[in-house]
Amino acid sequence: MKKIIALFITTLFSIGLISQVQAHSRWLLPSHYNMSSEKGLWLMADATASNEVFNVDKALSIDVLRILTPKGKLEKPSSVYKGHRKSVLDYFVADSGTYKLTNNYPASYRTRYKLNGENKRLLASKAELSGKLPKGATDVSTTLSYARIESYVTMNKPSDNFGQEGTMLELLPITHPSDIVEGEQAKFQFVFNGEAIAGVQVEITLEGVRYRNDPQVLSLVSNNKGEVSFTPKSAGRYLLIAEFERKAENQQLADFESGAVFLSFEAQLN
């Protein structure tokens, strides 16, 4: 019988658990971040949504889930099953190195406005508003948004192919994700359109929020090098949420451009 490692990938939409992003926290959650095998292993994964950490409510789409291999090849899961409460995929990890898992949707334009005192929104850029924006709309503002939902899994030994794209907000590990250890400082860098960016708002939370009166959220802001550093107090799985917004470079399409990164990672026992 083949040895199977379960890799549970969970995208979480939480309400009231994370102050910064409130109702749209997202997890890409492996059950194993570090594995060891000379023959390779099958990975199984669940894609689910919840209103609390790890409470499954409904299945999420994994049509856009991709796996960046240590050789730089972008692959799809081997097979996928979509249910009402759970979507399941599997993937055979054959090579040693670090795999980057992403479940990112295309960037989108969102226009917000007020009508008769109520907040409204349209999925449209400024160039697409003609004929769509109702008469009497006020406080019109358009934002180009893109969110990255990511995690890393390492087989045998780590590698450094992190798949930088040079667009919108990205997280670049300075401390390798497989080397994060409780009680030791870890460091990440943030770039926006390929350039280090200061002022990124970051929150890091240990799993198990529903079992703590104090969610124990660590709040950080990136420095002039785009870097944040932190020391996990205990081993376990964490969610990092980063957000950054600025005035858009292309004012014909949007007023603002906003990026977000949701990274799940593990701090190992020391």
Side-chain angles (χ1 to χ4, degrees), residues 228-258:
V228 297
S229 59
F230 60 97
T231 301
K233 292 183 178 180
S234 60
R237 297 178 294 187
Y238 288 78
L239 174 66
L240 179 150
I241 302 172
E243 287 192 325
F244 181 77
E245 182 176 283
R246 69 181 185 185
K247 289 185 177 180
E249 295 181 350
N250 188 342
Q251 294 289 326
Q252 293 181 342
L253 296 177
D255 301 299
F256 301 94
E257 49 189 4
S258 174

Side-chain angles (χ1 to χ4, degrees), residues 29-83:
L29 183 66
S31 62
H32 292 78
Y33 293 84
N34 292 280
M35 304 177 296
S36 179
S37 174
E38 298 301 323
K39 298 180 180 180
L41 291 171
W42 275 101
L43 300 180
M44 292 175 56
D46 294 347
T48 57
S50 173
N51 63 357
E52 286 189 55
V53 178
F54 311 144
N55 272 359
V56 177
D57 283 340
K58 61 181 180 180
L60 288 180
S61 172
I62 50 176
D63 294 334
V64 295
L65 194 144
R66 296 294 182 268
I67 302 160
L68 181 66
T69 71
K71 296 181 179 180
K73 185 178 179 180
L74 204 58
E75 297 185 345
K76 297 181 180 180
S78 304
S79 59
V80 173
Y81 165 77
K82 300 177 183 178

Side-chain angles (χ1 to χ4, degrees), residues 14-27:
S14 64
I15 299 177
L17 298 184
I18 303 297
S19 59
Q20 176 174 291
V21 292
Q22 295 184 1
H24 62 283
S25 298
R26 308 171 191 181
W27 291 75

